[in-house]
């Protein structure tokens, strides 16, 4: 309610100031304009007055004993009071007049003044047709109350009822908003939208936007992981036609060289599921594993399981550690890699393990190749699905470490490309940003397999205290398209995952408590905006909501860049819009 007070300083300044103060106490200083209070030094007072008249809902014309005489005395000169009244009357007429005309004009007789008996100038004459209110300063409280009723067009009883209704609906907004936020949170917790891939799509879109302008930044790398590649140059250098199981003699030499160089762990993105074509090679590899067992763990990749046991040739099974070497999956902009596979042992045990038993007695957890390489083949505890962590034992330092994962997914059918994962298994997945994967094309991050076998001093020095991952990089084989990350060999993805484990970094969703608080806040924001701006045009109100949604999206991107946490943007915007929509419906029902 914007109120404009028109008065003459030489006629009724004291009464006008009194009325001003009383109205400010009831409506607030921002809602009541009086030139002595509202025009600052250096302001264009004509422009200021006209602006406030145009935005006014009510214009109070304060008429004192000398008001009419001064009108007559200034008929042929500047008279700003006349300008104010005439302008207000014109605005009222232009808006259609009647009960819906704006601004409403209330003549206020003060200091025992009587209604003007003389005819006013033509541009003011319609003022005399308006019912004038006699303001009695001696009965100040009653006069002010009556004036407020006239301004509001409601009695105090009606206004009190309206205020009570306002409080009631305000409480409704404050309750409905958080409830909407809670419902949206549980929808996300239940994976309602992930069934359609929306969660991943929005999350990876956040990552893509966050990387705009940052693609030239060097990708992080710990320096503790070395990729050793077997490629076409390796075939040429070693005089081989192809890579197959006959390479086990070379692998034995490689393990011996790496152990002598002081490597922390050697992991092979290569399977050793059966006997090789060269018995001497198998014997040499077995001996190398036996000789280095106390110095350095060796980890083999596994892509088949026999029940809960890995399919590894019997000669190597007791000597080497192992991890499931299943490739990840493209997730729009991002890429997901398995971290561990949790299997319910009751499927393979007769009689089944009772569900009353502790979780660690009912499930078995198999590490991925990356997790096994990082830990050196340590044991893994069951997944903590609430905290989204798992605990892995590190034999080298004789302690456990918690590792974060992004999501855990139940496998509803056997994996065609990797028999080590079966229907009913639960996979802990890590999400990776393709633009954050280093090139891994040259030393010291990438070394040549043949250089290690040749005993090159600089190459061997680069293996000291490192996790060494051995894998193939042949053209057009075992390659994955990562979009922003280009085409990458599978071994590079494993190397990136191992390095992320070393650096203890992982992309994670916002924690459950923080996500719930955020959804409640956004649902409440939408509800409060819809409630307090209910008198605005829908376009303006929606523009405010859109601005809040855009600001939220910007903050989500900034947060991901700084904290590597993905916030459910669509859930937040959904809570904001639903909160506003529900309260909007309630507001419409209230007014009908």
């Amino acid at each position: 309610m914007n109120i404009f007070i028109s008065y003459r300083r030489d006629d009724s300044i004291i009464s006008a100031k009194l009325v001003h103060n009383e109205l400010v106490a009831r409506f607030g200083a921002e809602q009541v304009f009086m030139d002595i209070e509202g025009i600052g030094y250096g302001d264009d007072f004509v422009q200021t007055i006209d602006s406030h008249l145009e935005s006014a809902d009510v214009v109070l014309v304060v008429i004192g004993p000398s008001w009419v005489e001064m009108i007559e005395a200034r008929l042929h000169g500047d008279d700003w009071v006349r300008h104010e009244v005439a302008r207000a009357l014109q605005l009222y007429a232009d808006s259609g007049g009647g009960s819906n005309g704006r601004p409403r004009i209330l003549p206020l007789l003060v200091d025992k003044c009587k209604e003007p008996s003389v005819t006013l100038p033509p541009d003011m004459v319609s003022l005399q047709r308006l019912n004038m209110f006699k303001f009695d300063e001696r009965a100040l409280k009653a006069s002010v109350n009556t004036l407020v009723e006239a301004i509001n067009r409601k009695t105090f009883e009606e206004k009190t009822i309206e205020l009570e209704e306002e409080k009631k609906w305000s409480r409704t907004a404050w309750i409905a908003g958080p409830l909407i936020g809670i419902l949206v949170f549980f929808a996300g917790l239940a994976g309602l939208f992930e069934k359609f891939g929306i969660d991943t799509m929005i999350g990876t879109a956040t990552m893509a936007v966050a990387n705009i302008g940052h693609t030239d930044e060097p990708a992080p790398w710990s320096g503790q992981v070395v990729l050793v590649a077997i490629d076409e140059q390796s075939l040429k250098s070693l005089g081989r036609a192809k890579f197959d199981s006959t390479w086990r003699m070379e692998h034995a030499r490689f393990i011996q060289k790496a152990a002598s160089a002081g490597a922390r762990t050697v992991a092979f993105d290569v399977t050793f599921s059966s006997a090789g074509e060269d018995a001497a090679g198998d014997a040499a590899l077995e001996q190398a594993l036996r000789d280095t067992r106390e110095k350095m763990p060796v980890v083999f990749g596994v892509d088949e399981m026999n029940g809960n046991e890995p399919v590894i040739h019997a000669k190597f099974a007791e000597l080497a550690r192992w991890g499931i070497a299943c490739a990840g999956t493209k997730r729009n902009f991002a890429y997901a890699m398995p971290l561990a596979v949790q299997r319910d042992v009751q499927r393979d045990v007769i009689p089944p393990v009772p569900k009353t038993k502790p979780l660690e007695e009912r499930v078995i957890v198999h590490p991925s190749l990356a997790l096994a390489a990082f830990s050196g083949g340590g044991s893994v505890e069951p997944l903590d699905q609430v905290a989204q962590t798992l605990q892995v034992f590190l034999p080298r330092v004789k302690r456990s470490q918690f590792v974060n994962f992004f999501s855990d997914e139940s496998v509803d059918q056997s994996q065609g490309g990797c028999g080590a994962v079966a229907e009913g298994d639960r996979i802990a997945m890590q999400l990776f940003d393709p633009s954050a994967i280093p090139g891994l094309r040259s030393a010291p991050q990438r070394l040549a397999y043949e250089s290690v076998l040749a005993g090159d001093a600089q190459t061997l020095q680069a293996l000291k205290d490192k996790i060494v991952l051995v894998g193939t990089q042949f053209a057009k084989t075992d390659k994955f398209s990562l979009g922003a990350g280009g085409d990458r060999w599978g071994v590079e993805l494993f190397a990136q995952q191992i390095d992320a484990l070393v650096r203890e970094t992982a992309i994670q969703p916002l924690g459950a408590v923080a996500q719930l608080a955020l959804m409640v806040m956004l649902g409440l924001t939408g509800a409060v905006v819809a409630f307090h701006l209910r008198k605005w045009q829908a376009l303006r109100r929606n523009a405010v909501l859109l601005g809040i949604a855009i600001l939220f999206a910007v903050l989500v991107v900034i947060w991901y860049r700084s904290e590597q946490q993905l916030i459910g943007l669509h859930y937040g915007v959904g809570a904001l819009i639903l909160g506003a929509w529900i309260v909007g419906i309630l507001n419409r029902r209230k007014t009908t």
Side-chain angles (χ1 to χ4, degrees), residues 299-315:
V299 178
F300 287 167
V302 169
D303 60 8
E304 293 288 340
M305 299 285 290
N306 182 14
N308 288 321
E309 296 298 324
V311 178
I312 300 178
H313 182 41
K315 287 188 175 183

Side-chain angles (χ1 to χ4, degrees), residues 31 96 116 170 325 342 489:
Q31 307 301 112
S170 177
Q342 180 168 290
W489 280 284

Side-chain angles (χ1 to χ4, degrees), residues 81-393:
V81 170
R82 178 180 172 183
H83 170 82
E84 292 170 354
V85 176
R87 180 63 180 149
L89 290 168
Q90 185 62 50
L91 288 169
Y92 176 76
D94 291 345
S95 67
S99 60
N100 294 321
R102 185 174 173 275
R104 288 170 48 228
I105 302 168
L106 297 179
L108 199 64
L109 303 175
V110 299
D111 297 334
K112 301 180 182 180
C113 178
K114 295 181 180 180
E115 295 183 14
S117 57
V118 300
T119 302
L120 296 175
D123 55 358
M124 299 176 66
V125 72
S126 58
L127 182 70
Q128 289 180 284
R129 297 200 299 269
L130 301 180
N131 190 22
M132 299 190 178
F133 175 65
K134 293 182 179 180
F135 190 89
D136 187 353
E137 293 87 346
R138 294 172 299 178
L140 180 62
K141 184 176 180 179
S143 293
V144 171
N145 288 344
T146 305
L147 177 60
V148 171
E149 289 180 356
I151 291 172
N152 287 321
R153 284 182 167 168
K154 292 181 178 72
T155 65
F156 269 95
E157 289 76 11
E158 291 171 329
K159 187 63 177 176
T160 300
I161 293 172
E162 184 184 80
L163 288 173
E164 286 301 318
E165 285 291 313
E166 188 97 348
K167 289 178 182 177
K168 184 178 105 175
W169 287 104
S170 177
R171 286 194 296 269
T172 301
W174 281 86
I175 293 172
L179 283 177
I180 289 294
I182 291 171
L183 289 174
V184 170
F185 167 76
F186 281 107
L189 201 64
L192 181 65
F193 295 110
E194 185 55 22
K195 297 182 190 302
F196 308 100
I198 296 175
D199 289 357
T200 301
M201 180 178 68
I202 298 296
T204 59
T206 300
M207 297 166 64
V209 173
N211 282 300
I212 293 175
H214 298 278
T215 53
D216 295 332
E217 294 180 4
W221 193 256
S222 68
Q224 297 184 43
V225 181
V226 175
L227 169 61
V228 176
I230 302 172
D231 55 14
E232 283 81 2
Q233 182 60 44
S234 304
L235 298 179
K236 183 178 179 181
S237 298
L238 299 176
R240 292 300 196 97
K242 63 178 181 177
F243 178 77
D244 55 21
S245 65
T246 62
W247 281 61
R248 292 181 180 176
M249 185 72 74
E250 282 82 2
H251 295 333
R253 289 168 52 204
F254 184 96
I255 290 170
Q256 295 282 12
K257 294 280 186 182
S260 298
R264 185 199 309 181
T265 303
V266 169
F268 284 87
D269 182 19
V270 178
T271 58
F272 298 85
S273 56
S274 59
E277 299 175 33
D278 178 11
D282 283 0
L285 180 56
E286 179 186 5
Q287 189 60 47
L289 291 171
R290 197 177 300 280
D291 291 344
T292 60
R293 190 174 187 181
E294 300 301 322
K295 299 179 182 178
M296 174 191 74
V298 177
V299 178
F300 287 167
V302 169
D303 60 8
E304 293 288 340
M305 299 285 290
N306 182 14
N308 288 321
E309 296 298 324
V311 178
I312 300 178
H313 182 41
K315 287 188 175 183
F316 314 138
E318 296 299 321
L319 300 172
R321 278 77 164 182
W322 61 276
I324 295 176
C326 292
T329 56
K330 185 78 164 55
R331 299 286 179 88
N332 297 306
F333 177 82
Y335 203 84
M337 292 284 288
L339 178 68
V341 177
Q342 180 168 290
R343 176 169 296 174
D344 194 338
V345 297
Q346 346 185 30
R347 296 180 308 174
D348 305 304
V349 176
I350 300 176
V353 178
K355 291 189 176 181
T356 54
K357 290 280 188 181
L359 182 64
E360 56 268 22
E361 295 182 25
R362 290 188 284 114
V363 301
I364 185 169
V365 183
H366 302 309
S368 67
L369 174 62
L371 186 61
F374 163 71
S375 67
S379 59
V380 185
E381 297 296 317
L383 311 183
D384 185 336
Q385 294 171 257
V386 177
Q388 292 184 266
T389 61
L390 58 78
Q391 189 175 5
V392 59
F393 181 70

Side-chain angles (χ1 to χ4, degrees), residues 8 11-12 61-68 108-111 113-114:
R8 284 198 184 279
D11 175 55
S12 54
V61 181
V62 181
I63 301 173
S66 303
W67 189 83
V68 173
L108 199 64
L109 303 175
V110 299
D111 297 334
C113 178
K114 295 181 180 180

Side-chain angles (χ1 to χ4, degrees), residues 437-493:
I437 300 177
L440 302 179
R441 295 292 188 265
S442 59
Q445 296 171 345
R446 180 191 184 277
L447 302 174
Y449 183 86
E450 61 272 20
S451 295
V452 176
L453 293 185
D456 178 75
Q458 188 174 357
T459 300
L460 294 179
Q461 179 62 32
L463 302 184
K464 183 175 176 58
D465 296 324
K466 303 295 193 304
I467 299 173
V468 181
L469 177 65
V470 182
T472 60
Q473 289 187 345
F474 295 116
K476 299 181 181 179
T477 61
D478 195 32
K479 271 197 171 184
F480 300 85
S481 177
L482 302 189
D487 291 341
R488 295 303 185 102
W489 280 284
V491 69
E492 291 181 293
L493 300 180

